[in-house]
Amino acid sequence: MTIVPIEQYPMPRQWPMRAQSVPNIPRGSVGMVGSLRIIFEYVANGTSANVPVAIPGSSSNVTLGVCCQRLRPTGLVRDKKGSWELSPEAGVWALSGDDAFLAATLCSNIKFMGEILYLLQEPKTISELQAAANDAYHLPWKRTSEVSRRLVWFRDLGLVEFLDYTLSYVLTDFGKSFLEHIDVTSPEEVAKSLEDENRPNYTASPWAMELCRLSQDMLAARKPSIGYCPGGKAELVATISAYVSYLVDDKTKGDIEQFSAENYGIKASSADSMLNMLSGIRFVERISRDSYRATDLAKRWNRDASPLDLCCCLHASCSFVFELLRELESGPKTRAELSAAAVAKYDVGGDGGSEVLKRTHFLQLAGLLKDYRAAEFSITPAGLEMLRKVSIQNADSAVVRDSADIAKGSAVAANVKSWEDGELLTELRLSARDSSNPDRFEKACADAFNALGFKAEWLGGSGKTDVLVSAQSAAKYAYRVTVDAKSSANGIISESQLNFDTLVDHRKLHNAQFTVVVGPLFQGERIVARAKKHGIVLMDVDALCELIKLHDRVPLSAQDYKALFESYGNADLDMLISARGDLTRSAVLLRAVMSCLVSQSDDEVTDGMLSAREIYVLLKAEYPDLLLSLDEIDSMLAFLSSPVVNCVGRAKSEYYAIGSLNEASNKLRFYANVCSMVDKGTML
C-alpha cells in the first residue's frame, strides 16, 4: 500500500452539492471496501454494464451498470456515453490501496460523512446520530437507514468501532488520526448554506422554456400521470438518460425488456410501464409495430441531461408539475395537502399521493423545491423565479367532462361550467384524514351537502348525528338524510368503526328517511353488506367530491338525488346518469331552439317566423342523433315564450327570437343570480 499525501486529498464539495445518500452496493463477505475493489476491476477491464457483479458471499444479481449509477454521486465513477470509467480519485485509490484516501473522497462528496466522525469523538447511539442529522444538519431522514449505511462503511474502513455493551459507536485510533486531516462542515455552515442552496448554478435551456409556453387548453389537455421510473430519487435523471442513450438506435420491445432486466432488475411489465412513461413525455416514439426510438426532443435533452430541462419536459406533458410550486407559494405544505390539491384542483388520478411524490422528486433534483421539515415541502427562490417564466394552468380550468351526459346531447356541444369548489374539495380530502379533529370533517361534509343544494345543518356532539340534511319541498316530497362523518388518519374505515344500530337510531330520532356515512375509504365486503342490511349509503370522499363536481356542471334537484340515497351500500353515482342526461338534453334543446330562431331572424322567406313543426324539421335535420319529438319542441317554446322568460315571441302559431343568444343568456343568468342571493335587500 502507498500512503497518499494529505495535500492530494480531494477538496470537499460545498454542502448543497454533496450527495445525500451513500452508495448502496452489495457487501457480501468482503465488506464494502472489498466490494468496491471488485466493481472497480470490472470497470477498469471494460466489462459491459449489463453484466452482473459477482461479490463473494452475496446473492445479489445487480449489474455493473446499476452499481456504477449508485456510485456516481460519490465522484468515483463517470458515465462515458453508455459505458463507465473510473474517476481520477478512484484511480489513485485503486493504485495506492490507501483506504484513508477513499474515506476522504467519500467525506468530500457525501453529506454527513465526516460530520459523523466529528460527532463520534464521544460514543453515540444511532438514535443520537439520527437526531443530529435531523436537528443540526437539517437532513429529512425519517429512518436510521442512512446513518446505518454510513456506519457500515466506516467500520469496514476501520474508522469506527461498535461498543456492544452500550450499543453505541465511537472513533478508533485510526479514525481520530484521520479526522485531523479532513474538513468537517459545522451546523452553522449548513444553516447558512441552506439560504442559498436552492439557487441552481444553471438555468433552463431556451428550447426547454419554449416548451412551457402553453395555452390554457393545452395545459388542461396534459395527462394526469407521470408514470413509472425504476430506482430512487437520486437515480431518476441518470435512469432516464440511460434509457434515452440506449434508444438512440431502434430497439425492439424485447431488447428494451432485456436491457431493463439486466440494468435495473425489473420485470417485463415494469419495463413496459417505463416505456409508456417515456412515450408520455415525448421522449420515445414507436417506429413500427415492435420497434422504438428516442425522439429528437429526448436526444436534445440528453446532451446535458439537465434536471431543470427535464422538469420543463414533464410540465409540457403532465399536469401539476409547476402548478405544484404554485401551491407552495403561500407557504410550506405536507405531501397530504399537495395530494389533496392535485386531485381536487387538477384531477390528478387516484389519491394523488404517489403522483405528488414523483413530482417532488424531480422538482427537488432541479432545485425548485426543498424539504422544509421532515413531512413538509417549501418552494425555493429558484422555484419562485421559474413560476414567473412559465405558463401555469388555472385550477378552475381542470375540468373533467361527463361523457355520458354529453353523449346524450349528440353533436351539440354542452356548455360545461368549470367547478369553482377547489377549496371545498381540498378541505374534504384533508379533513377526512384529520382524525384528531373530527369536527373539521363534519363541517366540511355540511358544506358539501349545502353545495349540492340541500339545507345542511352541522349538529355534532355526543348522541347526535353529525349533519342533518334536508331536501326542501312540499311536505309530500320533502325528505331528510342523517349524515355521519368518519375521519381516519390511515384513510380507511373498517366495519368495527361503525355502529349500525346507532346510525339507525339517529335516523329515527330526526325523522329522516335516509342515512349516509361519509369517510375516506370503506374496507371489506362485510361493511358493505351490513350497510345494505341497515339501509345505509356508504359514500367515500372521492365519490362525494366527484358528486360536487358533477353538480357544478349539471345541477340536479334534491328529488333527483333521492335515487342515490335509495341505493344502499356503496354510493353508486351511476344512479344519477339518467337525471343528468335529461337535464343536459333540456339545456342542449334550449340552445338549439334559440339558435334556430335567431339564425332565421333575417331569412327573406320566413321573416324569422317559424312554427313548432318547422323548428322540429330543421333541428331534426341538423341534429339527427338527438331523436327529437314535437312535444319536446312545444314544451321548450312554451317555456321560452312565457311572460317571465320572454326570450321568444309568439304570433298565433308561429314563433320568433326576441334578441340574441347573448341577451337570452343574460336574462337567465339574472334570474339565477337573484335566486342565489341571501340578502333580500340586495336584489335590486
Side-chain angles (χ1 to χ4, degrees):
M1 181 184 75
T2 303
I3 302 299
V4 179
I6 304 301
E7 56 269 19
Q8 293 185 22
Y9 280 13
M11 290 293 293
R13 297 166 69 184
Q14 293 182 352
W15 183 266
M17 302 303 295
R18 297 186 201 176
Q20 191 158 279
S21 299
V22 291
N24 184 20
I25 58 175
R27 184 167 182 253
S29 58
V30 294
M32 303 303 288
V33 178
S35 294
L36 191 62
R37 291 188 189 281
I38 293 171
I39 293 170
F40 281 6
E41 289 175 5
Y42 275 65
V43 174
N45 293 333
T47 307
S48 169
N50 300 332
V51 174
V53 177
I55 303 295
S58 172
S59 59
S60 171
N61 291 318
V62 67
T63 65
L64 178 64
V66 172
C67 288
C68 289
Q69 286 168 7
R70 295 174 180 176
L71 286 165
R72 181 161 69 170
T74 67
L76 292 169
V77 295
R78 295 176 178 176
D79 189 355
K80 186 181 179 182
K81 296 182 179 179
S83 62
W84 296 92
E85 65 179 6
L86 299 181
S87 69
E89 293 81 6
V92 169
W93 174 67
L95 290 174
S96 67
D98 184 356
D99 288 348
F101 179 81
L102 172 62
T105 303
L106 295 174
C107 291
S108 297
N109 289 284
I110 303 175
K111 293 178 180 177
F112 205 60
M113 288 287 283
E115 293 70 31
I116 276 188
L117 298 179
Y118 179 81
L119 292 170
L120 290 181
Q121 292 180 91
E122 298 293 335
K124 285 183 176 55
T125 65
I126 284 186
S127 297
E128 289 172 328
L129 293 171
Q130 172 79 6
N134 293 151
D135 300 336
Y137 288 88
H138 304 280
L139 294 167
W141 300 333
K142 297 179 182 178
R143 292 183 291 271
T144 59
S145 55
E146 283 294 337
V147 172
S148 297
R149 290 189 188 120
R150 284 160 170 78
L151 293 172
V152 168
W153 274 95
F154 284 143
R155 291 181 71 185
D156 287 353
L157 285 164
L159 299 170
V160 168
E161 62 180 330
F162 178 61
L163 306 177
D164 54 5
Y165 54 90
T166 59
L167 300 179
S168 60
Y169 296 82
V170 71
L171 290 183
T172 62
D173 290 338
F174 177 40
K176 293 175 183 177
S177 173
F178 172 76
L179 184 61
E180 296 176 359
H181 301 301
I182 63 170
D183 292 324
V184 175
T185 304
S186 68
E188 292 74 22
E189 291 175 295
V190 171
K192 186 177 184 304
S193 70
L194 286 174
E195 298 176 3
D196 301 318
E197 87 171 316
N198 298 293
R199 296 184 182 273
N201 58 356
Y202 55 82
T203 57
S205 303
W207 63 264
M209 291 302 300
E210 189 64 30
L211 289 176
C212 298
R213 294 185 175 92
L214 304 167
S215 67
Q216 285 299 315
D217 286 343
M218 296 167 70
L219 289 164
R222 294 171 301 170
K223 65 191 192 80
S225 172
I226 288 179
Y228 168 75
C229 184
K233 179 178 73 174
E235 302 162 1
L236 282 174
V237 176
T239 299
I240 293 174
S241 177
Y243 270 91
V244 172
S245 298
Y246 179 70
L247 290 165
V248 167
D249 299 319
D250 296 5
K251 295 292 190 299
T252 66
K253 195 172 183 179
D255 292 335
I256 298 169
E257 290 173 354
Q258 182 177 357
F259 171 82
S260 301
E262 292 176 346
N263 286 275
Y264 301 99
I266 59 177
K267 298 179 180 178
S269 58
S270 296
D272 292 345
S273 297
M274 178 59 179
L275 190 60
N276 289 335
M277 178 266 185
L278 294 171
S279 299
I281 62 173
R282 295 180 288 170
F283 270 24
V284 168
E285 58 186 342
R286 195 169 187 170
I287 304 303
S288 65
R289 181 179 178 183
D290 192 42
S291 183
Y292 299 83
R293 179 196 303 159
T295 63
D296 291 339
L297 173 64
K299 295 172 187 175
R300 180 162 50 179
W301 169 77
N302 206 30
R303 291 170 192 165
D304 300 313
S306 159
L308 188 55
D309 288 348
L310 180 57
C311 285
C312 292
C313 295
L314 290 167
H315 179 69
S317 298
C318 307
S319 63
F320 201 62
V321 178
F322 291 148
E323 289 80 7
L324 187 152
L325 297 178
R326 183 173 59 185
E327 292 296 319
L328 296 174
E329 276 190 291
S330 58
K333 287 184 172 60
T334 65
R335 176 180 166 188
E337 290 172 321
L338 291 171
S339 300
V343 176
K345 297 181 181 180
Y346 299 93
D347 285 307
V348 173
D351 64 1
S354 60
E355 286 297 327
V356 163
L357 189 60
K358 295 171 191 174
R359 286 156 173 79
T360 58
H361 285 168
F362 284 110
L363 293 169
Q364 280 181 302
L365 292 171
L368 302 177
L369 67 75
K370 63 181 180 180
D371 292 300
Y372 179 67
R373 283 195 284 262
E376 289 186 319
F377 301 99
S378 65
I379 193 169
T380 67
L384 289 170
E385 184 179 351
M386 194 67 178
L387 271 181
R388 291 193 291 268
K389 297 178 179 178
V390 299
S391 303
I392 298 294
Q393 182 182 0
N394 296 329
D396 61 1
S397 69
V399 178
V400 178
R401 298 183 182 275
D402 190 330
S403 58
D405 291 342
I406 294 177
K408 290 181 179 290
S410 184
V412 181
N415 184 21
V416 182
K417 176 180 177 291
S418 64
W419 52 270
E420 301 170 352
D421 299 298
E423 291 185 5
L424 172 58
L425 303 185
T426 300
E427 176 62 13
L428 278 169
R429 295 183 186 281
L430 292 178
S431 60
R433 294 199 176 215
D434 189 3
S435 57
S436 63
N437 185 11
D439 288 358
R440 180 185 178 189
F441 188 41
E442 294 169 9
K443 293 176 182 177
C445 287
D447 290 339
F449 281 94
N450 276 318
L452 293 171
F454 293 94
K455 177 185 177 183
E457 181 182 4
W458 174 60
L459 300 178
S462 178
K464 299 180 181 179
T465 191
D466 296 330
V467 180
L468 182 61
V469 172
S470 301
Q472 296 173 298
S473 184
K476 181 179 179 180
Y477 300 104
Y479 62 88
R480 287 182 171 184
V481 184
T482 54
V483 176
D484 192 67
K486 288 289 184 184
S487 56
S488 170
N490 66 2
I492 295 174
I493 302 297
S494 62
E495 179 190 1
S496 62
Q497 292 173 265
L498 297 185
N499 188 325
F500 289 95
D501 292 333
T502 299
L503 293 173
V504 172
D505 289 342
H506 285 169
R507 185 167 65 209
K508 294 177 180 178
L509 177 65
H510 293 284
N511 195 26
Q513 288 72 41
F514 307 107
T515 298
V516 173
V517 180
V518 183
L521 183 67
F522 297 96
Q523 185 181 62
E525 296 180 2
R526 277 181 54 84
I527 193 172
V528 177
R530 293 197 64 191
K532 289 180 178 179
K533 180 180 178 180
H534 289 82
I536 291 170
V537 176
L538 304 176
M539 185 178 295
D540 61 50
V541 168
D542 284 344
L544 181 55
C545 289
E546 181 66 15
L547 191 61
I548 293 170
K549 289 189 282 186
L550 290 172
H551 180 84
D552 196 54
R553 297 195 290 276
V554 185
L556 300 183
S557 69
Q559 292 306 310
D560 294 322
Y561 286 125
K562 190 175 181 179
L564 180 64
F565 304 134
E566 290 174 333
S567 179
Y568 308 135
N570 282 327
D572 184 3
L573 302 191
D574 287 347
M575 299 297 296
L576 305 173
I577 288 179
S578 177
R580 287 203 307 274
D582 291 344
L583 184 55
T584 302
R585 180 183 176 85
S586 295
V588 169
L589 181 59
L590 184 152
R591 180 181 174 85
V593 169
M594 280 298 303
S595 296
C596 179
L597 289 172
V598 170
S599 67
Q600 292 291 318
S601 294
D602 56 358
D603 186 85
E604 296 179 356
V605 176
T606 65
D607 288 330
M609 306 292 292
L610 297 175
S611 67
R613 186 175 294 275
E614 288 170 330
I615 295 173
Y616 167 76
V617 172
L618 288 171
L619 294 184
K620 186 176 180 181
E622 187 172 358
Y623 309 116
D625 294 338
L626 274 178
L627 303 177
L628 294 170
S629 70
L630 187 57
D631 288 342
E632 284 182 301
I633 302 295
D634 284 332
S635 297
M636 187 56 67
L637 288 169
F639 169 73
L640 292 171
S641 63
S642 66
V644 174
V645 179
N646 199 31
C647 292
V648 169
R650 180 175 182 177
K652 295 184 179 180
S653 61
E654 292 183 320
Y655 298 86
Y656 59 93
I658 299 177
S660 64
L661 270 172
N662 189 51
E663 290 177 275
S665 175
N666 289 338
K667 182 174 291 186
L668 294 172
R669 188 181 298 112
F670 170 75
Y671 286 134
N673 289 339
V674 170
C675 288
S676 65
M677 289 178 180
V678 177
D679 185 354
K680 296 180 181 179
T682 63
M683 285 188 178
L684 299 177

